[in-house]
Amino acid sequence: MTGSDEWSYVSAVGVGPLRFGMTVGEVVGAAAPLGPATVSHCPRGPAVFSPTLRVEVHRHGAAPSQAAVTAYVSQAAGLFCVAVDAVHGPQVAYDGLPLVGRDMAELEGDAIAYAEAMDVQFRIMPEGYAAPDDPGIVMRAQPVGQALRSRPLFMVPRDGAWTEWDSLPSEEYHVDGCHPPDTTPPDDPWSEEV
């Protein structure tokens, strides 16, 4: 990971300076201390979801690289998902358990040990690894060289979805670059000057 910054996470409220429900302009403004942002359209998903914009925040002064943080903002619900890059993102912890950029097997062992020590449950993520039992955290595996590193998504359900799992942006199923982003600048009437 680049930098020594740490962001806090509060379930159903937000992560770092980003609060669920924010507009695109508010996300860009709140993320400005981390770095500049670009805004683009997300591919249209199921009809139940309103149009969604992707805000990619890159670190100040860093060579061109993946976004440190990717925020997803829907027209109806505002900010509903924040993905933190395993390499460039700020560190975020869940009750003292670091979540960003961890070897997935190591994180799983720590999540199970945490659950046993605290007498709480853990959740199994899409890749089959254990992670904290918080419905607002979806752990994804991001390939980094030959390793799989943790790329947490912090979420709330978006418009038309029952759960965070239903709200997962389609781009987050393919963090390995299989689906290049649509970089068309937003021109929807609901987007703000950024």
Side-chain angles (χ1 to χ4, degrees), residues 27-29 31-39 55-62 67-69:
V27 168
V28 169
L34 181 62
T38 59
V39 179
V55 180
E56 293 181 319
V57 183
H58 297 266
R59 289 188 174 274
H60 287 292
V69 173

Side-chain angles (χ1 to χ4, degrees), residues 45-152:
V48 70
F49 296 145
S50 66
T52 301
L53 295 175
R54 176 182 39 252
V55 180
E56 293 181 319
V57 183
H58 297 266
R59 289 188 174 274
H60 287 292
S65 63
Q66 281 187 254
V69 173
T70 304
Y72 296 91
V73 182
S74 82
Q75 181 179 10
L79 176 65
F80 68 91
C81 178
V82 177
V84 180
D85 185 75
V87 177
H88 305 285
Q91 186 54 255
V92 182
Y94 175 82
D95 199 20
L97 179 64
L99 299 178
V100 180
R102 305 277 310 275
D103 175 89
M104 290 297 286
E106 180 183 294
L107 176 58
E108 176 179 53
D110 289 351
I112 292 170
Y114 170 86
E116 289 172 349
M118 303 301 287
D119 195 27
V120 295
Q121 301 294 314
F122 58 86
R123 296 174 74 191
I124 301 298
M125 295 293 123
E127 283 84 6
Y129 292 98
D133 186 29
D134 183 316
I137 300 173
V138 176
M139 297 301 301
R140 300 308 316 242
Q142 178 179 329
V144 178
Q146 297 297 314
L148 289 178
R149 300 286 178 186
S150 56
R151 175 188 173 88

